[in-house]
C-alpha cells in the first residue's frame, strides 16, 4: 500500500525577528524595508512576504503583516 504523506506545519517565526527600517510611499506605490531571519533587507510591497509573514498594509509610520490567522502592526518608530 502507498505510504501516507504527513503534512507538517511550517514553524512560525517570531514577530520580534522581523526588522524594519523604512517605509516609502510614492503616489500609489507603497513599500516597506524589511529583513527576516537571514538579516537581508529588501523592499516589500503589499502581497509580498518575509519569513512566512505577508505584508497586508502599509501606511506612513507602520506596516501590517499576517501569518495564518495572526496579524501584527510593525511600527516604524517607537512611541514614547
Amino acid at each position: 500500500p502507498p505510504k501516507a504523506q504527513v503534512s507538517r506545519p511550517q514553524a512560525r517565526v517570531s514577530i520580534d525577528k522581523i526588522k524594519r527600517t523604512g517605509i516609502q510611499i510614492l503616489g500609489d506605490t507603497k513599500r516597506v524595508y524589511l529583513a527576516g531571519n537571514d538579516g537581508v533587507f529588501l523592499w516589500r510591497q503589499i502581497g509580498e512576504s518575509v519569513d512566512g509573514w505577508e505584508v497586508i498594509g502599509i501606511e506612513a509610520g507602520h506596516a501590517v503583516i499576517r501569518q495564518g490567522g495572526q496579524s501584527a502592526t510593525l511600527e516604524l518608530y517607537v512611541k514614547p
Side-chain angles (χ1 to χ4, degrees):
K3 291 185 177 183
Q5 292 185 355
V6 177
S7 175
R8 296 194 175 144
Q10 223 178 13
R12 288 186 177 246
V13 175
S14 169
I15 195 72
D16 296 332
K17 300 222 183 234
I18 297 178
K19 299 171 187 72
R20 64 274 185 196
T21 61
I23 290 177
Q24 182 182 64
I25 300 174
L26 296 170
D28 292 337
T29 303
K30 297 179 180 184
R31 305 186 311 167
V32 60
Y33 203 51
L34 296 175
N37 274 342
D38 61 6
V40 176
F41 280 90
L42 294 172
W43 285 107
R44 292 181 171 90
Q45 296 180 335
I46 292 174
E48 295 181 329
S49 298
V50 57
D51 289 344
W53 289 87
E54 178 187 5
V55 178
I56 61 170
I58 300 171
E59 298 298 329
H62 73 274
V64 181
I65 58 176
R66 175 180 59 208
Q67 184 182 62
Q70 180 182 8
S71 65
T73 300
L74 300 174
E75 299 288 344
L76 186 56
Y77 304 104
V78 177
K79 294 181 181 179

